[in-house]
Amino acid sequence: KVGSPEKPISDMGQKAYLPYWTSTVVDFLLNQSDDSQLSIMDISKRTSIMAEDIIFALNRLGILKFINGVYFIAADREQLLELAKRHPVKEPRVDPSRLHWTPFITDVKRDKFSIHSKKPSVQQEFALKETKNPPSGGAGYHRG
């Protein structure tokens, strides 16, 4: 699942995420088996980093070229090895095959934001009492 920090990202957020994006993308490119035809979307799907964040990171590394509306990664293996030294992947590494994502499901009755968990308003309580206990005929009221 591809993800990203909240947008728009602050300058401090960008500084915090940039090392992760750069090290992950450089590591990914180094470990590809001579796959000379990789799209940004391919990298995105395989690293779970948003395409716009990959473009930003590659641009900051100075290896992204934009020619006639098409992005090219212009870096040979030696350049990628040098970049990997400057931007190492931090430990611990995560093995993506070991990650299993499941949605978080809450009990609707216990969820404080659920309509079902809200206490009835005064008007709702009054209306509810009226339906349970309809007014009896008051003084001066008869059926003929």
Side-chain angles (χ1 to χ4, degrees):
K1 185 173 181 172
V2 175
S4 183
E6 289 184 24
K7 303 291 183 190
I9 190 168
S10 67
D11 291 342
M12 290 301 289
Q14 209 167 50
K15 282 184 181 182
Y17 273 93
L18 186 60
Y20 168 72
W21 294 332
T22 54
S23 63
T24 302
V25 171
V26 168
D27 184 61
F28 174 80
L29 293 172
L30 269 174
N31 293 311
Q32 290 310 297
S33 59
D34 280 343
D35 204 353
S36 61
Q37 296 263 327
L38 275 174
S39 71
I40 298 292
M41 290 310 295
D42 291 335
I43 299 169
S44 176
K45 287 176 190 168
R46 289 153 103 184
T47 62
S48 298
I49 299 173
M50 294 284 290
E52 65 189 66
D53 299 331
I54 292 169
I55 291 168
F56 179 77
L58 291 172
N59 220 3
R60 291 299 285 256
L61 291 170
I63 62 174
L64 187 68
K65 306 298 180 212
F66 190 69
I67 302 169
N68 296 329
V70 179
Y71 287 104
F72 291 94
I73 299 170
D76 60 14
R77 184 155 184 79
E78 295 304 315
Q79 191 174 4
L80 289 174
L81 287 169
E82 182 60 36
L83 288 170
K85 284 180 190 172
R86 287 192 297 173
H87 305 281
V89 175
K90 300 214 165 114
E91 300 297 331
R93 286 185 169 212
V94 175
D95 180 0
S97 68
R98 301 260 185 205
L99 294 176
H100 301 285
W101 182 86
T102 56
F104 180 68
I105 299 172
T106 61
D107 181 4
V108 174
K109 293 179 180 129
R110 301 182 87 203
D111 181 0
K112 70 179 184 177
F113 298 108
S114 170
I115 291 173
H116 302 291
S117 69
K118 302 291 184 219
K119 290 183 179 177
S121 68
V122 174
Q123 287 125 348
Q124 288 171 326
E125 281 185 31
F126 183 73
L128 188 60
K129 285 178 185 175
E130 287 290 312
T131 58
K132 286 183 180 176
N133 303 320
S136 60
Y141 177 75
H142 321 305
R143 281 192 182 197

Coordinates of all heavy atoms in Angstrom, one line a residue, residues 25-107:
V25 N 14.9 4.8 -2.0 CA 14.9 4.8 -3.4 C 16.3 4.4 -4.0 O 16.4 3.6 -4.9 CB 14.4 6.1 -4.0 CG1 14.6 6.2 -5.5 CG2 13.0 6.4 -3.6
V26 N 17.4 4.9 -3.4 CA 18.7 4.6 -3.9 C 19.0 3.1 -3.6 O 19.5 2.4 -4.5 CB 19.8 5.4 -3.2 CG1 21.2 4.9 -3.4 CG2 19.7 6.9 -3.7
D27 N 18.6 2.6 -2.5 CA 18.8 1.2 -2.2 C 18.0 0.3 -3.2 O 18.5 -0.7 -3.7 CB 18.3 0.9 -0.7 CG 18.6 -0.6 -0.3 OD1 19.7 -1.0 -0.3 OD2 17.6 -1.3 0.0
F28 N 16.8 0.7 -3.5 CA 15.9 0.0 -4.4 C 16.6 0.0 -5.8 O 16.7 -1.1 -6.4 CB 14.5 0.7 -4.5 CG 13.7 0.1 -5.6 CD1 13.0 -1.1 -5.4 CD2 13.5 0.7 -6.8 CE1 12.2 -1.7 -6.4 CE2 12.8 0.1 -7.8 CZ 12.1 -1.1 -7.6
L29 N 17.1 1.1 -6.3 CA 17.7 1.2 -7.6 C 19.0 0.3 -7.6 O 19.2 -0.3 -8.7 CB 18.0 2.6 -8.0 CG 16.8 3.5 -8.2 CD1 17.2 5.0 -8.4 CD2 16.0 3.1 -9.4
L30 N 19.7 0.3 -6.6 CA 20.9 -0.5 -6.5 C 20.6 -2.0 -6.6 O 21.4 -2.8 -7.1 CB 21.7 -0.2 -5.3 CG 22.8 0.9 -5.4 CD1 23.4 1.1 -4.0 CD2 23.8 0.5 -6.4
N31 N 19.5 -2.4 -6.0 CA 19.2 -3.8 -5.9 C 18.3 -4.4 -7.0 O 17.8 -5.5 -6.9 CB 18.6 -4.1 -4.5 CG 19.6 -4.0 -3.4 OD1 20.7 -4.5 -3.5 ND2 19.2 -3.2 -2.4
Q32 N 18.2 -3.6 -8.1 CA 17.4 -4.0 -9.2 C 18.3 -4.8 -10.2 O 19.4 -4.4 -10.4 CB 16.7 -2.9 -10.0 CG 15.6 -2.2 -9.2 CD 14.6 -3.2 -8.7 OE1 14.0 -3.9 -9.5 NE2 14.5 -3.4 -7.4
S33 N 17.8 -5.9 -10.8 CA 18.6 -6.7 -11.7 C 18.5 -6.1 -13.1 O 17.7 -6.5 -13.9 CB 18.0 -8.1 -11.7 OG 16.7 -8.1 -12.1
D34 N 19.4 -5.2 -13.4 CA 19.6 -4.6 -14.7 C 18.2 -4.3 -15.4 O 18.1 -4.5 -16.6 CB 20.4 -5.4 -15.6 CG 21.9 -5.2 -15.3 OD1 22.2 -4.2 -14.6 OD2 22.7 -6.0 -15.7
D35 N 17.3 -3.8 -14.6 CA 16.0 -3.5 -15.2 C 16.1 -2.0 -15.6 O 15.9 -1.1 -14.9 CB 14.9 -3.6 -14.1 CG 13.5 -3.8 -14.6 OD1 13.4 -3.7 -15.9 OD2 12.6 -4.1 -13.8
S36 N 16.4 -1.8 -16.9 CA 16.7 -0.5 -17.4 C 15.4 0.3 -17.7 O 15.5 1.5 -17.9 CB 17.5 -0.6 -18.7 OG 16.8 -1.3 -19.7
Q37 N 14.3 -0.4 -17.6 CA 13.0 0.3 -17.9 C 12.1 0.2 -16.6 O 11.3 -0.7 -16.5 CB 12.3 -0.4 -19.0 CG 13.0 -0.3 -20.4 CD 12.4 0.8 -21.2 OE1 11.2 1.1 -21.1 NE2 13.3 1.5 -22.0
L38 N 12.3 1.2 -15.7 CA 11.5 1.3 -14.5 C 10.8 2.6 -14.6 O 11.4 3.7 -14.8 CB 12.4 1.3 -13.3 CG 12.8 -0.1 -12.7 CD1 13.8 0.1 -11.6 CD2 11.6 -0.8 -12.2
S39 N 9.5 2.6 -14.3 CA 8.8 3.9 -14.2 C 8.8 4.3 -12.7 O 9.1 3.6 -11.8 CB 7.4 3.7 -14.7 OG 6.6 2.9 -13.8
I40 N 8.5 5.6 -12.6 CA 8.3 6.1 -11.2 C 7.2 5.3 -10.5 O 7.3 5.0 -9.3 CB 7.9 7.6 -11.3 CG1 9.1 8.5 -11.9 CG2 7.6 8.2 -9.9 CD1 10.3 8.5 -11.1
M41 N 6.2 5.0 -11.2 CA 5.1 4.2 -10.6 C 5.5 2.8 -10.2 O 5.1 2.3 -9.2 CB 3.9 4.1 -11.6 CG 3.1 5.4 -11.8 SD 2.7 6.3 -10.2 CE 1.5 5.1 -9.5
D42 N 6.4 2.2 -11.0 CA 7.0 0.9 -10.6 C 7.8 1.0 -9.2 O 7.6 0.2 -8.3 CB 8.0 0.4 -11.6 CG 7.3 0.0 -12.9 OD1 6.1 -0.4 -12.9 OD2 8.0 0.0 -14.0
I43 N 8.6 2.1 -9.2 CA 9.3 2.3 -7.9 C 8.4 2.6 -6.8 O 8.5 2.1 -5.7 CB 10.3 3.5 -8.1 CG1 11.3 3.2 -9.2 CG2 11.0 3.8 -6.8 CD1 12.2 4.3 -9.6
S44 N 7.3 3.3 -7.0 CA 6.3 3.7 -6.0 C 5.7 2.4 -5.5 O 5.6 2.2 -4.3 CB 5.3 4.6 -6.6 OG 4.3 4.9 -5.7
K45 N 5.2 1.6 -6.4 CA 4.5 0.3 -6.0 C 5.4 -0.6 -5.1 O 5.0 -1.2 -4.2 CB 4.0 -0.4 -7.2 CG 2.8 0.3 -7.8 CD 2.4 -0.4 -9.1 CE 1.3 0.4 -9.8 NZ 1.1 -0.2 -11.2
R46 N 6.7 -0.6 -5.5 CA 7.6 -1.6 -4.9 C 8.2 -1.0 -3.6 O 8.7 -1.8 -2.8 CB 8.6 -2.0 -5.9 CG 8.0 -2.9 -6.9 CD 8.7 -3.0 -8.2 NE 9.5 -4.1 -8.5 CZ 10.2 -4.2 -9.6 NH1 10.2 -3.3 -10.5 NH2 10.9 -5.3 -9.8
T47 N 8.2 0.3 -3.4 CA 8.8 0.9 -2.2 C 7.7 1.4 -1.3 O 8.0 1.8 -0.1 CB 9.7 2.0 -2.5 OG1 9.0 3.1 -3.2 CG2 10.9 1.6 -3.3
S48 N 6.5 1.5 -1.8 CA 5.3 2.1 -1.0 C 5.5 3.6 -0.7 O 4.9 4.1 0.2 CB 5.1 1.3 0.3 OG 4.7 0.0 0.0
I49 N 6.3 4.2 -1.5 CA 6.4 5.7 -1.4 C 5.7 6.3 -2.6 O 5.7 5.9 -3.7 CB 7.9 6.1 -1.5 CG1 8.7 5.4 -0.3 CG2 8.1 7.6 -1.4 CD1 10.2 5.6 -0.4
M50 N 5.0 7.4 -2.3 CA 4.2 8.1 -3.3 C 5.1 8.6 -4.4 O 6.2 9.0 -4.2 CB 3.5 9.3 -2.7 CG 2.4 9.0 -1.7 SD 0.9 8.4 -2.4 CE 0.3 9.9 -3.2
A51 N 4.6 8.6 -5.6 CA 5.3 9.0 -6.8 C 5.9 10.4 -6.7 O 7.1 10.7 -7.0 CB 4.5 8.9 -8.1
E52 N 5.1 11.3 -6.2 CA 5.6 12.7 -6.0 C 6.7 12.8 -5.0 O 7.6 13.7 -5.2 CB 4.4 13.7 -5.6 CG 3.8 13.4 -4.3 CD 2.6 14.2 -4.0 OE1 1.5 14.0 -4.7 OE2 2.6 15.0 -3.1
D53 N 6.7 12.0 -4.0 CA 7.8 12.0 -3.0 C 9.1 11.4 -3.6 O 10.2 11.8 -3.4 CB 7.4 11.2 -1.8 CG 6.2 11.8 -1.1 OD1 6.0 13.1 -1.2 OD2 5.5 11.1 -0.4
I54 N 8.9 10.4 -4.5 CA 10.1 9.8 -5.2 C 10.7 10.8 -6.1 O 11.9 11.0 -6.2 CB 9.7 8.5 -6.0 CG1 9.3 7.4 -5.0 CG2 10.8 8.1 -6.9 CD1 8.6 6.2 -5.6
I55 N 9.8 11.5 -6.9 CA 10.3 12.6 -7.8 C 11.1 13.6 -7.0 O 12.1 14.1 -7.4 CB 9.1 13.2 -8.6 CG1 8.6 12.1 -9.6 CG2 9.5 14.4 -9.3 CD1 7.2 12.5 -10.2
F56 N 10.5 14.1 -5.9 CA 11.2 15.1 -5.1 C 12.5 14.6 -4.6 O 13.5 15.3 -4.7 CB 10.3 15.4 -3.9 CG 10.9 16.4 -2.9 CD1 10.9 17.8 -3.3 CD2 11.5 16.0 -1.7 CE1 11.5 18.7 -2.4 CE2 12.0 17.0 -0.9 CZ 12.0 18.3 -1.2
A57 N 12.6 13.3 -4.1 CA 13.9 12.8 -3.6 C 14.9 12.7 -4.7 O 16.1 13.1 -4.5 CB 13.6 11.4 -2.9
L58 N 14.5 12.1 -5.9 CA 15.4 12.0 -7.0 C 15.9 13.3 -7.5 O 17.1 13.5 -7.9 CB 14.8 11.2 -8.1 CG 14.5 9.7 -7.8 CD1 13.7 9.1 -8.9 CD2 15.8 8.9 -7.6
N59 N 15.0 14.3 -7.5 CA 15.4 15.6 -7.9 C 16.4 16.2 -6.9 O 17.4 16.8 -7.4 CB 14.2 16.5 -7.9 CG 14.1 17.4 -9.1 OD1 15.0 17.4 -9.9 ND2 13.1 18.3 -9.1
R60 N 16.2 16.0 -5.6 CA 17.2 16.5 -4.6 C 18.5 15.8 -4.8 O 19.6 16.4 -4.5 CB 16.6 16.4 -3.2 CG 15.5 17.2 -2.9 CD 15.8 18.7 -3.0 NE 16.6 19.2 -1.9 CZ 16.1 19.9 -0.9 NH1 14.9 20.2 -0.8 NH2 16.9 20.2 0.1
L61 N 18.5 14.6 -5.2 CA 19.8 13.8 -5.4 C 20.5 14.3 -6.7 O 21.7 14.0 -6.9 CB 19.5 12.3 -5.4 CG 19.1 11.7 -4.1 CD1 18.6 10.2 -4.4 CD2 20.2 11.7 -3.1
G62 N 19.8 15.0 -7.5 CA 20.4 15.5 -8.8 C 20.4 14.4 -9.9 O 21.2 14.6 -10.8
I63 N 19.7 13.3 -9.8 CA 19.7 12.3 -10.8 C 18.5 12.1 -11.6 O 18.3 11.2 -12.4 CB 20.1 10.9 -10.1 CG1 19.1 10.4 -9.1 CG2 21.5 11.0 -9.5 CD1 19.3 9.0 -8.6
L64 N 17.5 13.1 -11.4 CA 16.3 13.0 -12.2 C 16.4 14.0 -13.3 O 16.6 15.2 -13.0 CB 15.1 13.3 -11.2 CG 13.7 13.1 -11.9 CD1 13.5 11.6 -12.2 CD2 12.6 13.6 -11.0
K65 N 16.1 13.6 -14.5 CA 16.1 14.5 -15.6 C 14.7 14.4 -16.2 O 14.0 13.4 -16.3 CB 17.1 14.0 -16.7 CG 18.5 13.9 -16.2 CD 19.1 15.2 -15.7 CE 20.5 14.9 -15.2 NZ 20.9 15.8 -14.1
F66 N 14.2 15.6 -16.7 CA 12.9 15.7 -17.3 C 13.1 16.2 -18.7 O 13.4 17.4 -18.9 CB 12.1 16.7 -16.5 CG 10.6 16.8 -16.8 CD1 9.8 15.7 -16.6 CD2 10.1 17.9 -17.4 CE1 8.4 15.8 -16.9 CE2 8.7 18.0 -17.8 CZ 7.9 16.9 -17.5
I67 N 12.9 15.3 -19.7 CA 13.1 15.6 -21.1 C 11.8 15.3 -21.9 O 11.3 14.2 -21.8 CB 14.3 14.8 -21.7 CG1 15.5 15.1 -20.9 CG2 14.5 15.2 -23.1 CD1 16.7 14.2 -21.1
N68 N 11.3 16.3 -22.6 CA 10.1 16.1 -23.4 C 8.9 15.5 -22.6 O 8.2 14.6 -23.1 CB 10.4 15.3 -24.7 CG 11.4 16.0 -25.6 OD1 11.4 17.2 -25.6 ND2 12.2 15.2 -26.3
G69 N 8.7 15.9 -21.4 CA 7.6 15.5 -20.6 C 7.8 14.1 -20.0 O 6.8 13.5 -19.5
V70 N 9.0 13.6 -20.1 CA 9.3 12.2 -19.5 C 10.4 12.3 -18.5 O 11.4 13.0 -18.8 CB 9.6 11.2 -20.6 CG1 9.9 9.9 -20.1 CG2 8.5 11.2 -21.7
Y71 N 10.3 11.7 -17.3 CA 11.3 11.6 -16.3 C 12.3 10.5 -16.7 O 11.9 9.4 -17.0 CB 10.7 11.4 -14.9 CG 10.0 12.5 -14.4 CD1 8.6 12.6 -14.3 CD2 10.7 13.6 -13.8 CE1 7.9 13.7 -13.8 CE2 10.0 14.7 -13.3 CZ 8.7 14.7 -13.2 OH 8.0 15.8 -12.7
F72 N 13.6 10.8 -16.5 CA 14.7 9.8 -16.6 C 15.5 9.9 -15.4 O 15.9 10.9 -14.9 CB 15.5 10.1 -17.8 CG 14.8 9.9 -19.1 CD1 14.2 11.0 -19.8 CD2 14.8 8.7 -19.8 CE1 13.6 10.8 -21.0 CE2 14.1 8.5 -21.0 CZ 13.5 9.6 -21.6
I73 N 15.9 8.7 -14.9 CA 16.9 8.6 -13.8 C 18.2 8.4 -14.5 O 18.5 7.4 -15.1 CB 16.6 7.4 -12.9 CG1 15.2 7.7 -12.3 CG2 17.6 7.3 -11.8 CD1 14.6 6.5 -11.5
A74 N 19.0 9.4 -14.3 CA 20.4 9.5 -15.0 C 21.4 9.2 -13.9 O 22.0 10.1 -13.4 CB 20.6 10.8 -15.7
A75 N 21.7 7.9 -13.7 CA 22.7 7.6 -12.7 C 23.3 6.2 -13.0 O 22.5 5.2 -13.2 CB 22.2 7.6 -11.3
D76 N 24.6 6.0 -13.1 CA 25.1 4.7 -13.3 C 25.4 4.0 -11.9 O 25.1 4.6 -10.9 CB 26.4 4.8 -14.1 CG 27.5 5.6 -13.5 OD1 27.4 5.9 -12.3 OD2 28.5 6.0 -14.1
R77 N 25.8 2.8 -12.0 CA 26.0 2.0 -10.7 C 26.9 2.7 -9.8 O 26.7 2.7 -8.6 CB 26.4 0.6 -11.1 CG 26.5 -0.3 -9.8 CD 26.3 -1.7 -10.2 NE 26.3 -2.6 -9.0 CZ 25.2 -2.7 -8.2 NH1 24.1 -2.1 -8.5 NH2 25.3 -3.5 -7.2
E78 N 28.0 3.2 -10.3 CA 29.0 3.9 -9.4 C 28.4 5.1 -8.7 O 28.7 5.3 -7.5 CB 30.3 4.3 -10.3 CG 31.0 3.2 -10.9 CD 31.5 2.2 -9.8 OE1 32.0 2.6 -8.7 OE2 31.3 1.0 -10.0
Q79 N 27.6 5.9 -9.4 CA 27.0 7.0 -8.8 C 26.0 6.6 -7.8 O 25.9 7.2 -6.7 CB 26.3 7.9 -9.9 CG 25.9 9.2 -9.4 CD 25.3 10.1 -10.5 OE1 25.2 9.6 -11.7 NE2 24.9 11.3 -10.2
L80 N 25.2 5.5 -8.0 CA 24.3 5.0 -7.0 C 25.0 4.5 -5.8 O 24.5 4.7 -4.7 CB 23.4 3.9 -7.7 CG 22.4 4.4 -8.7 CD1 21.7 3.2 -9.3 CD2 21.4 5.3 -8.1
L81 N 26.2 3.8 -6.0 CA 27.0 3.4 -4.8 C 27.4 4.5 -4.0 O 27.4 4.5 -2.7 CB 28.1 2.5 -5.3 CG 27.8 1.1 -5.8 CD1 29.0 0.5 -6.5 CD2 27.3 0.2 -4.7
E82 N 27.9 5.6 -4.6 CA 28.3 6.8 -3.9 C 27.1 7.4 -3.1 O 27.3 7.8 -2.0 CB 28.9 7.8 -4.9 CG 29.4 9.1 -4.2 CD 30.5 8.8 -3.2 OE1 31.4 7.9 -3.4 OE2 30.5 9.5 -2.2
L83 N 26.0 7.5 -3.8 CA 24.8 8.0 -3.1 C 24.3 7.1 -1.9 O 23.9 7.6 -0.9 CB 23.6 8.2 -4.1 CG 23.8 9.3 -5.1 CD1 22.7 9.2 -6.2 CD2 23.7 10.6 -4.4
A84 N 24.5 5.8 -2.1 CA 24.2 4.9 -1.0 C 25.1 5.1 0.2 O 24.6 4.9 1.3 CB 24.2 3.4 -1.5
K85 N 26.3 5.4 0.0 CA 27.2 5.7 1.1 C 26.8 7.0 1.8 O 26.9 7.1 3.0 CB 28.7 5.9 0.6 CG 29.3 4.6 0.2 CD 30.8 4.9 -0.2 CE 31.4 3.7 -0.8 NZ 32.7 3.9 -1.5
R86 N 26.4 8.0 1.1 CA 25.9 9.3 1.7 C 24.6 9.2 2.3 O 24.2 9.9 3.2 CB 26.0 10.4 0.6 CG 27.4 10.8 0.3 CD 27.4 12.1 -0.5 NE 26.7 11.9 -1.8 CZ 26.4 12.8 -2.7 NH1 26.7 14.0 -2.4 NH2 25.8 12.5 -3.8
H87 N 23.7 8.3 1.8 CA 22.3 8.1 2.3 C 22.1 6.7 2.6 O 21.3 6.0 1.9 CB 21.4 8.6 1.2 CG 21.6 10.0 0.7 ND1 21.2 11.1 1.5 CD2 22.2 10.5 -0.4 CE1 21.6 12.2 0.8 NE2 22.2 11.8 -0.3
P88 N 22.7 6.1 3.7 CA 22.5 4.7 4.0 C 21.1 4.4 4.6 O 20.5 5.3 5.2 CB 23.5 4.4 5.1 CG 23.8 5.8 5.7 CD 23.6 6.8 4.6
V89 N 20.6 3.2 4.3 CA 19.3 2.8 4.9 C 19.6 2.6 6.4 O 20.5 1.9 6.8 CB 18.8 1.5 4.2 CG1 17.6 1.0 4.9 CG2 18.6 1.7 2.8
K90 N 18.7 3.2 7.2 CA 18.9 3.0 8.6 C 18.3 1.7 9.1 O 17.3 1.2 8.6 CB 18.2 4.2 9.3 CG 18.8 5.5 8.9 CD 18.8 6.5 10.0 CE 19.7 7.6 9.6 NZ 19.3 8.9 9.3
E91 N 18.9 1.2 10.1 CA 18.4 -0.1 10.8 C 17.3 0.3 11.8 O 17.3 1.4 12.3 CB 19.5 -0.8 11.4 CG 20.7 -1.2 10.5 CD 20.2 -2.2 9.4 OE1 19.3 -3.0 9.6 OE2 20.8 -2.2 8.3
P92 N 16.4 -0.5 12.1 CA 16.2 -1.9 11.6 C 15.5 -1.8 10.3 O 14.6 -1.0 10.0 CB 15.4 -2.6 12.6 CG 14.5 -1.5 13.2 CD 15.4 -0.2 13.2
R93 N 15.8 -2.8 9.4 CA 15.1 -2.9 8.1 C 13.9 -3.7 8.3 O 13.8 -4.6 9.1 CB 16.0 -3.6 7.1 CG 17.1 -2.7 6.6 CD 17.9 -3.4 5.5 NE 18.7 -2.4 4.9 CZ 19.1 -2.5 3.6 NH1 18.6 -3.5 2.9 NH2 19.9 -1.6 3.1
V94 N 12.9 -3.4 7.5 CA 11.6 -4.1 7.6 C 11.5 -5.0 6.4 O 11.8 -4.6 5.3 CB 10.4 -3.1 7.6 CG1 9.1 -3.8 7.5 CG2 10.5 -2.2 8.8
D95 N 11.1 -6.2 6.6 CA 10.9 -7.2 5.6 C 9.4 -7.1 5.2 O 8.6 -7.5 5.9 CB 11.2 -8.6 6.1 CG 11.0 -9.7 5.0 OD1 10.6 -9.3 3.8 OD2 11.2 -10.9 5.3
P96 N 9.2 -6.5 4.0 CA 7.8 -6.2 3.6 C 6.9 -7.5 3.5 O 5.7 -7.5 3.7 CB 7.9 -5.5 2.2 CG 9.3 -5.2 2.1 CD 10.1 -6.0 3.0
S97 N 7.6 -8.6 3.2 CA 6.8 -9.9 3.1 C 6.2 -10.3 4.5 O 5.3 -11.1 4.5 CB 7.7 -11.0 2.5 OG 8.7 -11.3 3.4
R98 N 6.8 -9.7 5.6 CA 6.3 -10.1 6.9 C 5.2 -9.1 7.4 O 4.7 -9.4 8.5 CB 7.5 -10.0 7.9 CG 8.6 -11.0 7.5 CD 8.5 -12.2 8.3 NE 9.6 -13.1 8.1 CZ 9.5 -14.3 8.3 NH1 8.4 -14.9 8.8 NH2 10.6 -15.1 8.1
L99 N 5.0 -8.1 6.7 CA 3.9 -7.1 7.1 C 2.6 -7.6 6.6 O 2.4 -8.0 5.5 CB 4.2 -5.7 6.5 CG 5.5 -5.0 7.0 CD1 5.6 -3.7 6.3 CD2 5.4 -4.8 8.5
H100 N 1.6 -7.6 7.5 CA 0.2 -7.9 7.1 C -0.7 -6.9 7.7 O -0.8 -6.7 8.9 CB -0.1 -9.3 7.7 CG 0.8 -10.4 7.3 ND1 0.7 -10.9 6.0 CD2 1.8 -11.0 7.9 CE1 1.6 -11.9 5.9 NE2 2.3 -11.9 7.0
W101 N -1.3 -6.1 6.8 CA -2.1 -5.0 7.1 C -3.6 -5.5 7.2 O -4.1 -6.1 6.3 CB -2.0 -3.9 6.1 CG -2.8 -2.7 6.5 CD1 -2.4 -1.7 7.3 CD2 -4.1 -2.4 6.0 NE1 -3.4 -0.7 7.4 CE2 -4.5 -1.1 6.6 CE3 -5.0 -3.0 5.2 CZ2 -5.7 -0.5 6.4 CZ3 -6.3 -2.4 5.0 CH2 -6.6 -1.2 5.6
T102 N -4.2 -5.1 8.3 CA -5.7 -5.3 8.4 C -6.3 -4.0 8.9 O -5.7 -3.3 9.7 CB -6.0 -6.5 9.4 OG1 -5.4 -6.1 10.7 CG2 -5.5 -7.8 8.9
P103 N -7.5 -3.7 8.4 CA -8.2 -2.5 8.9 C -8.5 -2.6 10.3 O -8.8 -3.7 10.8 CB -9.4 -2.4 8.0 CG -9.6 -3.8 7.5 CD -8.3 -4.5 7.5
F104 N -8.5 -1.4 11.0 CA -8.9 -1.3 12.4 C -10.4 -1.2 12.4 O -11.0 -0.3 11.9 CB -8.2 -0.1 13.0 CG -8.5 0.0 14.5 CD1 -8.1 -0.9 15.4 CD2 -9.3 1.1 14.9 CE1 -8.4 -0.7 16.8 CE2 -9.6 1.3 16.2 CZ -9.2 0.4 17.2
I105 N -11.1 -2.1 13.1 CA -12.5 -2.1 13.2 C -12.9 -1.8 14.6 O -12.4 -2.4 15.6 CB -13.1 -3.4 12.7 CG1 -12.7 -3.7 11.3 CG2 -14.6 -3.4 12.9 CD1 -13.1 -5.0 10.8
T106 N -13.8 -0.8 14.8 CA -14.2 -0.5 16.2 C -15.6 -0.9 16.4 O -16.4 -1.1 15.5 CB -14.2 1.0 16.4 OG1 -15.0 1.7 15.5 CG2 -12.8 1.6 16.2
D107 N -16.0 -1.1 17.7 CA -17.4 -1.4 18.0 C -18.1 -0.1 17.9 O -17.8 0.9 18.5 CB -17.4 -1.9 19.5 CG -18.8 -2.2 20.0 OD1 -19.7 -2.2 19.1 OD2 -18.9 -2.6 21.1

